[in-house]
Amino acid sequence: MNGRLVGIVLAYVAFWVVAWAIATAPGRDSAEIFQRFRKSTARDATPIVRELTAVYADSPRQASADYAAHPEFRLLIAQSAAPVPECLPVVEEALVSLPPEGRLVVLLALAINGTPTLDERNSWTGSDPLQPRPDALPTIRRHLEREPVWTIALLAAQALAAAGDRPSADVLFERSKNTRRALVARSSELIVLADRKGGAAELMRALRDSLIPDDAATALVISGVLDRDPAWKWKPFALDWATSPAHASAAGGAFPTLYDLLPAERDRIWSAVSSAPRGSRVPLMVALMKRSNWPASYRNWWMGVYDDERKLVPDLEDRLAAGDLASFGRWAAEEQDPRSAMAIRAVLERLRAASARTAQGGR
């Protein structure tokens, strides 16, 4: 082999060595970052996330490779990939598959288009402005529609509003009536409306005139957003709304909130919400189940309407089983009358069986 040929071969080998080194550099960089992340504390996480974001910005395909190869680091990978436009498929997959805490972190990174600022307890300070990229908005919208957790859905709705997705109040009221959409999505959009100029007044108009469905009205009252500005005189309005027969079902669903908000008016509100028409008392029943230590008269009312509602509401036990069965179970311990306590336990067993059937059907 002459010298010229040797030179060509060496040049060829060198080219592929350099090409291999360049191609595998992002993988080596992220692997080294993962090693450091294993040994890091929570306080060290922010600079590590930024380093990994820089790797993915230079080589977006590395995010997909890392996500597939390192399931134990998927939260870190998705959070770091969120500010990189080409990495949206990885981010969207994470928003589908991660548990709630992980989804919140990833969505926050997408909503602020960067790494969140943390306080001394490693919690988000809330100081980063929501400024999602235009290309991320479809992903955030899709996630809002499927997210079951209120706080995460609310963040998605806030991010969309910050990006300029702000339909008129009447459009939002109409959209809230689409029961094919999850309640979390419908009500989150309404709650975010409260932050807009005139939004609180529009929401009270919707409550007063029944422009939104009962479940969304209940969620709006429970959220507390209308109680933030004293200028709106929310408490007098809430009392008038809660004691109107037209709103008995929606107010029944929000009864624990109203009970705490207006302690001097508890008897008046109870009289109104407990007089809801037959078949419309399930929201109040579910609301009561979420707390123990109710007066015995409330528990007696609940047990007294149970059989009546069961005849009128086909999925009653499934709806009640979605309530707080642990708190409901404490009712029997609080009940002084042995026969009433036994009746409560019998219903509790029926609801536990309904909950078990639902869980098996979801597998």
Side-chain angles (χ1 to χ4, degrees):
M1 184 180 293
N2 59 38
R4 184 170 179 275
L5 185 57
V6 170
I8 292 173
V9 171
L10 290 176
Y12 179 81
V13 171
F15 169 81
W16 284 109
V17 167
V18 171
W20 175 87
I22 293 172
T24 59
R28 293 197 303 275
D29 290 343
S30 60
E32 188 272 332
I33 290 172
F34 295 151
Q35 288 297 327
R36 281 192 286 120
F37 186 75
R38 283 191 177 96
K39 303 172 185 176
S40 68
T41 64
R43 192 175 297 276
D44 302 324
T46 296
I48 288 176
V49 169
R50 290 184 176 136
E51 281 187 65
L52 197 54
T53 296
V55 171
Y56 295 153
D58 288 339
S59 179
R61 287 184 296 181
Q62 189 60 41
S64 297
D66 286 344
Y67 194 85
H70 299 283
E72 72 275 26
F73 293 124
R74 283 182 174 170
L75 172 55
L76 172 64
I77 294 164
Q79 181 187 3
S80 303
V84 182
E86 295 85 354
C87 293
L88 273 178
V90 168
V91 175
E92 185 143 16
E93 183 177 344
L95 288 173
V96 171
S97 60
L98 288 174
E101 297 82 0
R103 297 198 302 273
L104 179 61
V105 170
V106 174
L107 182 64
L108 178 58
L110 197 62
I112 67 173
N113 195 32
T115 307
T117 304
L118 305 180
D119 61 20
E120 64 278 0
R121 294 171 298 176
N122 295 303
S123 298
W124 182 43
T125 63
S127 60
D128 305 300
L130 299 180
Q131 47 187 15
R133 303 184 312 275
D135 66 288
L137 298 184
T139 296
I140 295 173
R141 167 59 65 185
R142 284 191 293 272
H143 188 67
L144 171 62
E145 297 301 322
R146 64 174 175 255
E147 175 56 58
V149 178
W150 288 97
T151 52
I152 307 175
L154 190 57
L155 174 60
Q158 289 172 326
L160 291 170
D165 185 355
R166 299 183 179 185
S168 70
D170 286 327
V171 168
L172 289 177
F173 299 158
E174 197 62 32
R175 280 166 53 166
S176 74
K177 298 174 185 177
N178 181 3
T179 54
R180 290 176 296 180
R181 301 177 66 211
L183 171 62
V184 173
R186 292 185 283 126
S187 55
S188 292
E189 291 182 329
L190 295 175
I191 291 168
V192 169
L193 174 60
D195 291 328
R196 285 158 55 178
K197 184 178 180 180
E202 289 289 352
L203 289 168
M204 286 196 276
R205 174 174 70 92
L207 289 173
R208 184 189 64 240
D209 297 343
S210 299
L211 301 179
I212 57 179
D214 286 348
D215 58 355
T218 294
L220 179 60
V221 173
I222 290 173
S223 74
V225 292
L226 296 176
D227 195 27
R228 294 187 306 202
D229 187 352
W232 290 112
K233 300 180 181 179
W234 165 240
K235 288 184 180 180
F237 178 91
L239 179 61
D240 288 343
W241 176 78
T243 53
S244 167
H247 307 132
S249 181
F255 178 71
T257 299
L258 297 165
Y259 184 90
D260 294 335
L261 180 71
L262 301 162
E265 304 291 347
R266 287 170 178 173
D267 290 344
R268 186 177 168 192
I269 297 171
W270 171 254
S271 177
V273 298
S274 62
S275 300
R278 294 168 67 239
S280 301
R281 297 175 288 196
V282 180
L284 176 55
M285 295 175 74
V286 173
L288 291 176
M289 289 174 66
K290 295 179 180 178
R291 186 187 295 183
S292 54
N293 295 317
W294 288 119
S297 59
Y298 292 11
R299 299 196 301 269
N300 292 337
W301 174 88
W302 198 102
M303 294 300 297
V305 302
Y306 173 77
D307 284 330
D308 210 20
E309 293 297 285
R310 192 159 52 134
K311 295 173 185 175
L312 295 167
V313 182
D315 62 344
L316 173 71
E317 290 184 346
D318 291 334
R319 291 171 64 180
L320 296 179
D324 189 339
L325 296 186
S327 291
F328 182 70
R330 288 193 286 273
W331 286 22
E334 297 165 1
E335 182 57 61
Q336 298 298 312
D337 180 65
R339 286 187 297 181
S340 296
M342 186 179 300
I344 293 172
R345 285 193 289 268
V347 173
L348 176 61
E349 290 308 309
R350 293 183 66 95
L351 299 185
R352 283 174 174 163
S355 179
R357 287 195 300 271
T358 300
Q360 288 173 354
R363 291 194 184 106

